[in-house]
Amino acid sequence: MKKNFSQTLKHLTKFSGIKLSALADFIGYDVSYLSKWCNGINHPSPKYITRINRRIATFIADELIKQDRIYPFFNEFDIRLSVKMTAENTKDRLTTEINNLLNDVYYHNQAEPIPEDNGQSAVSAASYLTIVGRTNIKKFFNTKIASLFSTTQEDISILITGDIVSLLSRNALLDFLNCCHFSSENVNIYLGCCINELKQSPDSFLPRLYNMLNKYININFYIYDDQNFAKSNIITVKNYFTMHYSMHKDNLIDICTYITDKKTVKEVWERTYEKFDFNCCILEPKDDIELVKFRSFFYLNSDLLLFCAKGFEFFLPAQAFKKLLSSSRDYKYSSDMQQTIQNMQITWEEQFGSSHIDFILPEANIIRYIENGQLTYGEIDYIASAQEREAQLQQLIKSMRNNPAINIHLLSESQPQNEDDSFKLSYYSNTKTAYLKKNKSFLRNCSKTIYLLRHPFLIDKFNSFFHDLQNKPNCHKFSAEDLEKIYKNNNALLYRIWKKNTPEK
């Protein structure tokens, strides 16, 4: 009885001694497909069988030539040569005979009811799932996918081609993130942004964006101008799954197909990732050490907006700068960092004498700083002594007297009940350039510490958001006289707090 395709393929691989995994890599399929073909569970699709058989024949022919088993092969498979082979045409003849053998048994058995396995264009039925209806889709995201992220400790990289303005207009993205308890220490999420939507975004967009970045501080969010992938409708997670979806007019997903086939996931990830062009990145996570030179030029602008979520690193006395410089040497920071510390002391003394500066300080943060003196300068954690904090306050009052354009805004807030309620992201803007800085005390992993804003519209949105905070009923402006009065009336109490909370050396 003549063998079928599965039996012939299995016979060929066994005779040539090749590994299915090596053959699978050569023809561009996952080894699971070849295993099914050899065991008769599935057959390749007729659409791609010509290419598949030719590639299999080429690989096996090369192996048989290396093993010098050409004529034993012809005897094993009862192939009679009508024309004598020559040294020049051996490989072509052998490849052709193997290819003919595979084609013959494949088409001879096509009438048999064997299910088709089209690995080139899609995946096996077990590898994909279509979910219909927004309620079912929400449940799928918040249970199955959230559970996957909660149990996966490997690095997680997620590409979302959807527009961040639209995604945050509804709570779907934030609800999903709230269901995820990432076990991985390295989570990167890449998102799209329609610049026209950003221009016209409602007042609620920026608070939602800041709150997302603030709450999920251990995730690195990258945001890109979506001009290269605006209509892709893809969510793909490297090495795990890919999803293709359609949107309703209310910006919620109506239908989506969830695919776990490894080959398809890899191809979709690579094709999608290459569209996230670095030059189109408008919000980029970076390490603080990468901004040491940038920071020196940043403060040369005469109009500054500074929101401090941890400590207060400005107006430090000279002795504190000396200790910071010593710390940078002790921790072997680069010479650029040491030079920056020296430059910053000079820059602040010069620029802060004439610049317009709005400082916004959350009340809970400034109280903590008064108590413990903890601040972060660049990547250096520093504790200001009681004497340094007192000198710093005196220097601030003196500078405000000399430069009335320095403003202190204290943002009253209820005491945070948990870390989600805390301000964890500082904001530094000179109107033209801006960045967000993470409070490292909240970081539990190797997350990058800075978000560099790289688009003027996004900078304008953030500037407006923080300027608007100054007009809130719970935001109070303090003059030099106000601060001096508070200092004099509470000098003894402040000094006792400073002394009590300053660690002994």
Side-chain angles (χ1 to χ4, degrees), residues 289 319-343 345 377 379-382:
I289 199 71
Q319 63 264 33
F321 272 99
K322 290 180 181 178
K323 291 181 183 177
L324 278 167
L325 189 59
S326 177
S327 295
S328 71
R329 291 169 180 155
D330 291 342
Y331 287 99
K332 298 181 180 179
Y333 285 105
S334 69
S335 58
D336 285 340
M337 170 64 85
Q338 296 166 22
Q339 187 63 49
T340 297
I341 293 172
Q342 293 174 318
N343 291 344
Q345 182 181 10
Y377 185 92
E379 291 193 341
I380 302 174
D381 291 322
Y382 184 76

Side-chain angles (χ1 to χ4, degrees), residues 204-459:
S204 60
F205 167 67
L206 217 291
R208 285 174 180 262
L209 177 60
Y210 175 83
N211 289 338
M212 180 184 77
L213 300 175
N214 186 73
K215 181 174 183 179
Y216 303 104
I217 194 171
N218 287 288
I219 297 175
N220 294 316
F221 290 94
Y222 297 75
I223 301 179
Y224 290 74
D225 179 350
D226 68 358
Q227 58 183 306
N228 295 329
F229 52 80
K231 298 181 179 180
S232 297
N233 287 3
I234 290 173
I235 300 172
T236 181
V237 181
K238 188 175 184 179
N239 299 327
Y240 288 97
F241 67 83
T242 186
M243 300 184 78
H244 297 200
Y245 60 86
S246 66
M247 299 283 289
H248 192 265
K249 61 183 179 180
D250 62 1
N251 294 322
L252 290 176
I253 299 176
D254 257 355
I255 304 170
C256 71
T257 299
Y258 173 78
I259 303 170
T260 56
D261 170 67
K262 291 182 179 180
K263 182 173 183 293
T264 303
V265 171
K266 183 176 184 293
E267 289 180 351
V268 172
W269 168 269
E270 291 175 349
R271 286 174 176 268
T272 306
Y273 183 71
E274 68 182 11
K275 296 176 182 177
F276 282 72
D277 184 353
F278 170 77
N279 293 322
C280 296
C281 188
I282 67 173
L283 182 80
E284 178 192 6
K286 299 181 77 71
D287 290 315
D288 192 280
I289 199 71
E290 299 177 65
L291 297 187
V292 290
K293 293 182 179 179
F294 166 88
R295 191 178 284 107
S296 296
F297 295 100
F298 177 86
Y299 289 102
L300 294 179
N301 194 288
S302 59
D303 193 357
L304 300 170
L305 172 61
L306 308 171
F307 176 80
C308 304
K310 180 185 179 182
F312 190 67
E313 67 263 43
F314 304 95
F315 303 101
L316 288 168
Q319 63 264 33
F321 272 99
K322 290 180 181 178
K323 291 181 183 177
L324 278 167
L325 189 59
S326 177
S327 295
S328 71
R329 291 169 180 155
D330 291 342
Y331 287 99
K332 298 181 180 179
Y333 285 105
S334 69
S335 58
D336 285 340
M337 170 64 85
Q338 296 166 22
Q339 187 63 49
T340 297
I341 293 172
Q342 293 174 318
N343 291 344
M344 291 315 305
Q345 182 181 10
I346 299 170
T347 301
W348 288 352
E349 288 174 355
E350 295 294 328
Q351 290 300 109
F352 286 13
S354 58
S355 299
H356 176 270
I357 311 171
D358 284 315
F359 289 101
I360 306 176
L361 309 174
E363 187 179 67
N365 162 62
I366 206 63
I367 290 173
R368 282 195 297 269
Y369 180 62
I370 289 172
E371 292 178 345
N372 59 37
Q374 294 179 0
L375 59 87
T376 301
Y377 185 92
E379 291 193 341
I380 302 174
D381 291 322
Y382 184 76
I383 298 179
S385 68
Q387 292 82 2
E388 288 169 349
R389 274 171 275 171
E390 183 175 20
Q392 182 184 24
L393 179 55
Q394 292 172 347
Q395 180 62 38
L396 172 60
I397 293 170
K398 179 182 176 181
S399 298
M400 292 179 69
R401 285 191 180 281
N402 293 334
N403 179 11
I406 297 177
N407 302 306
I408 297 291
H409 303 270
L410 189 63
L411 187 65
S412 300
E413 52 173 336
S414 58
Q415 187 66 24
Q417 298 300 308
N418 54 62
E419 72 170 40
D420 287 345
D421 299 325
S422 301
F423 286 107
K424 299 189 278 286
L425 282 177
S426 299
Y427 180 68
Y428 302 83
S429 170
N430 66 10
T431 69
K432 294 181 180 178
T433 57
Y435 62 96
L436 293 155
K437 180 178 178 181
K438 299 180 180 181
N439 183 337
K440 292 203 306 182
S441 63
F442 289 100
L443 294 179
R444 297 185 295 274
N445 55 25
C446 54
S447 171
K448 293 182 180 292
T449 53
I450 297 289
Y451 282 118
L452 182 62
L453 278 62
R454 303 181 64 223
H455 197 286
F457 290 134
L458 189 59
I459 293 173

